[in-house]
Amino acid sequence: MRVHGLVLTGRDADVVSCRAGTLTLEHTEIRAHKGVSVHARPNTSVTLRDSVILHGRTLFAGSDGLVERCRFIDAADNAVAVIEGADVSVRDSWIGGSRIHGVRVSDARAQVTGCELTGTGRAAVMADTRAELTVTGCTINAVHAEAIMFIEQSRGSVDGARVTDAQHGIGVASGADPVVRGCTFTECRDTGINVQTSGRGRFEDCEVSDAGNVAVFSTKGGAPEVHGCRISRGNVGIAVTDAARGRFTRVEIEDLTSAALRVFDESGAVFEQVRVARCPSGLETRGNGGTTADVTDAEFRDFDMAAVAALGQSRVTLKGVVAERGVLGFGVGEEAQLLLHDCDVTAVSAGGAIGFGEAKLVARNLTVTGSEAFGLCGKDSAYLDVANSEFADCAAAGASFDDTCGGRLVDCAVNGTRGVAVQDNGRVDLVSLRTSLPVVKQATEPAELPPTIVNNYYGPVFHAAVHGAQLAWNNNKAIQQQTNEDGSRS
């Protein structure tokens, strides 16, 4: 059956219901004040073309469907629902004001191409219950929740989507695993890319700008792979928290108001070929011993605080990392561990690398040039193991060891004309040090002995307050006297 140019209005029941065969609706206006506008039942095929659907939802249940150049306005729940094994293509259509989703795909397949979605109450495009969803070349803006959401082991792909003003640009949760390529997420109120609760996903050549909270967020067991992503402006760049994971390669981050990279609370992240510029801090880690970050071939430039700061009991490994023009290059504190291999720090105002608290810093082939203070510093009871490294033109000291900091400095060089080579607290082994600058021995104060406490275990034991008592023990002779009321003794 083919229907052309009609206006169909219904209330309560289905306005259009296809129970068998094939139905085509063209240049048709369908108004469903309650219920369903178009209902394609199992084993049928329905085509909507150049039509307008108001208020009610369009439901494909176990059927085939094609939607082209249609407008879906103010649906009471989902504008287009694809369920129960249906297979539907939605092309070049406009969907606005849906109370729930613009397109929902549940245990079914759908292709959404060249569409514009706006003003939905929940996710504009939703895939759930092992759905297969493909989104290509769509524009999504001003939605109250996610622009695109994959959950419950759904699969599919998103290519070339443009998202503006969503709560989350794209969300992945509960075992879903999409492939997302070439998408832009702009002015998302919370996150641009949000992966959680065992969600995965591969994100390639995407751009996130002006995210309100976190540009790329992996949390609560999420495990995304992000390649070739660009992040600009906004608050935090990439955050991996709450026992999540992530691998991030060829990422460019610039002009944020907070940390570029953050790994917290039993999470693990791998960063490769990362470029960070003009952010307050580069990488921040904090958490127990299960919190790890591995950074290879990365650059941190023009930072306001530290390029890398490891705290708690976290463990950070840096290989081929450059820190340039900032306050502090690399810092490790509390009980954290920081391993440096072939790293360079240039033009910092506070120092090249520091270990404090009870932290451990291990460095091989570390180069610090042009520090306005120290090249290397150990404080408190930190342990520093530094070998085959060079500290050049550091204003105060090439290396400074304070408090009870310990460790060793092996086959290192301190060059330049400013400051001293080493401020030595006598607790660090200096082996094969090459320098023309002086080594200054710091005066060390003798350790203060703890107060002597004498415990007498042979006297009386009191279990309550005692007043006016006279006591004697271990005496060969005891004389007892009594004081009378007039003050005399008897």
Side-chain angles (χ1 to χ4, degrees), residues 405-427:
C405 167
R408 63 185 195 133
L409 199 64
V410 180
D411 290 328
C412 293
V414 179
N415 301 315
T417 58
R418 302 188 296 171
V420 300
V422 178
Q423 290 182 349
D424 184 11
N425 66 351
R427 297 174 180 268

Side-chain angles (χ1 to χ4, degrees), residues 355-357 378-382 401-406 425-427 442 444:
F356 59 93
K379 298 180 70 67
D380 305 320
S381 57
F401 304 106
D402 301 321
D403 307 318
T404 59
C405 167
N425 66 351
R427 297 174 180 268
Q442 300 184 35
T444 57

Side-chain angles (χ1 to χ4, degrees), residues 96-113:
S98 302
R99 186 176 176 184
I100 304 180
H101 305 297
V103 178
R104 181 197 174 195
V105 187
S106 179
D107 191 25
R109 300 176 62 185
Q111 302 82 42
V112 183
T113 306

Side-chain angles (χ1 to χ4, degrees), residues 15-205:
V15 178
V16 176
S17 179
C18 181
R19 297 177 178 272
T22 299
L23 172 64
T24 299
L25 298 162
E26 295 179 308
H27 298 280
T28 299
E29 183 174 308
I30 304 168
R31 298 174 178 265
H33 296 283
K34 292 183 181 179
V36 178
S37 296
V38 178
H39 191 169
R41 298 180 181 274
N43 302 313
T44 65
S45 178
V46 172
T47 297
L48 292 172
R49 187 176 289 117
D50 300 308
S51 297
V52 177
I53 295 89
L54 291 89
H55 311 313
R57 73 182 185 275
T58 298
L59 176 61
F60 295 89
S63 59
D64 293 335
L66 174 62
V67 177
E68 290 185 313
R69 298 183 300 278
C70 292
R71 293 178 64 85
F72 298 84
I73 302 171
D74 296 339
D77 42 37
N78 303 312
V80 179
V82 184
I83 64 174
E84 298 173 3
D87 190 349
V88 176
S89 293
V90 183
R91 302 173 185 167
D92 304 319
S93 297
W94 185 92
I95 301 172
S98 302
R99 186 176 176 184
I100 304 180
H101 305 297
V103 178
R104 181 197 174 195
V105 187
S106 179
D107 191 25
R109 300 176 62 185
Q111 302 82 42
V112 183
T113 306
C115 295
E116 181 179 351
L117 299 96
T118 185
T120 59
R122 297 185 188 173
V125 181
M126 164 66 83
D128 65 71
T129 319
R130 298 170 299 281
E132 296 184 24
L133 169 65
T134 300
V135 179
T136 305
C138 292
T139 300
I140 303 172
N141 62 78
V143 296
H144 292 281
E146 298 83 1
I148 303 168
M149 186 74 184
F150 287 82
I151 64 173
E152 298 170 356
Q153 298 179 307
S154 295
R155 302 289 188 273
S157 64
V158 181
D159 289 274
R162 298 175 301 281
V163 175
T164 306
D165 189 24
Q167 185 73 6
H168 309 283
I170 183 167
V172 181
S174 52
D177 190 10
V179 176
V180 181
R181 305 183 188 92
C183 297
T184 60
F185 306 96
T186 305
E187 296 180 354
C188 295
R189 297 185 298 276
D190 193 350
T191 63
I193 297 171
N194 189 309
V195 182
Q196 59 178 292
T197 56
S198 302
R200 297 187 294 278
R202 183 178 178 90
F203 301 84
E204 300 176 354
D205 302 317

Side-chain angles (χ1 to χ4, degrees), residues 131-460:
E132 296 184 24
L133 169 65
T134 300
V135 179
T136 305
C138 292
T139 300
I140 303 172
N141 62 78
V143 296
H144 292 281
E146 298 83 1
I148 303 168
M149 186 74 184
F150 287 82
I151 64 173
E152 298 170 356
Q153 298 179 307
S154 295
R155 302 289 188 273
S157 64
V158 181
D159 289 274
R162 298 175 301 281
V163 175
T164 306
D165 189 24
Q167 185 73 6
H168 309 283
I170 183 167
V172 181
S174 52
D177 190 10
V179 176
V180 181
R181 305 183 188 92
C183 297
T184 60
F185 306 96
T186 305
E187 296 180 354
C188 295
R189 297 185 298 276
D190 193 350
T191 63
I193 297 171
N194 189 309
V195 182
Q196 59 178 292
T197 56
S198 302
R200 297 187 294 278
R202 183 178 178 90
F203 301 84
E204 300 176 354
D205 302 317
C206 294
E207 183 172 347
V208 183
S209 60
D210 297 292
N213 188 9
V214 181
V216 179
F217 191 32
S218 176
T219 186
K220 298 178 181 177
E225 292 190 10
V226 178
H227 303 274
C229 184
R230 179 171 180 177
I231 297 169
S232 61
R233 302 183 298 277
N235 186 34
V236 175
I238 297 172
V240 186
T241 68
D242 291 329
R245 294 177 292 128
R247 180 177 288 273
F248 308 89
T249 305
R250 294 185 294 106
V251 178
E252 296 182 7
I253 305 173
E254 59 186 20
D255 298 317
L256 303 181
T257 60
S258 189
L261 310 172
R262 181 173 285 169
V263 183
F264 286 176
D265 305 328
E266 293 189 87
S267 298
V270 176
F271 302 99
E272 299 171 331
Q273 301 176 38
V274 175
R275 306 291 181 260
V276 176
R278 298 180 300 280
C279 298
S281 60
L283 168 65
E284 299 176 350
T285 67
R286 186 181 66 225
N288 62 18
T291 307
T292 63
D294 295 320
V295 185
T296 303
D297 185 18
E299 297 176 1
F300 300 93
R301 289 189 164 87
D302 300 302
F303 45 91
D304 297 330
M305 293 182 285
V308 176
L311 295 175
Q313 297 175 328
S314 61
R315 295 174 293 140
V316 177
T317 301
L318 308 181
K319 296 181 180 179
V321 174
V322 173
E324 183 177 350
R325 295 189 301 274
V327 175
L328 174 67
F330 310 126
V332 56
E334 299 176 356
E335 300 177 53
Q337 299 181 34
L338 177 61
L339 282 68
L340 309 175
H341 300 272
D342 303 305
C343 295
D344 292 279
V345 181
T346 305
V348 288
S349 60
I354 185 171
F356 59 93
E358 299 179 5
K360 182 177 181 181
L361 187 153
V362 177
R364 300 292 182 266
N365 299 319
L366 169 66
T367 301
V368 178
T369 305
S371 170
E372 293 302 316
F374 57 82
L376 174 71
C377 181
K379 298 180 70 67
D380 305 320
S381 57
Y383 184 86
L384 279 63
D385 182 354
V386 180
N388 305 114
S389 298
E390 181 179 358
F391 308 94
D393 198 26
C394 298
S400 175
F401 304 106
D402 301 321
D403 307 318
T404 59
C405 167
R408 63 185 195 133
L409 199 64
V410 180
D411 290 328
C412 293
V414 179
N415 301 315
T417 58
R418 302 188 296 171
V420 300
V422 178
Q423 290 182 349
D424 184 11
N425 66 351
R427 297 174 180 268
V428 176
D429 295 330
L430 305 180
V431 181
S432 301
L433 177 66
R434 302 183 302 278
T435 184
S436 60
L437 298 174
V439 175
V440 178
K441 295 283 187 179
Q442 300 184 35
T444 57
E445 297 181 359
E448 183 178 348
L449 296 176
T452 302
I453 300 174
V454 177
N455 296 308
N456 193 318
Y457 298 101
Y458 301 101

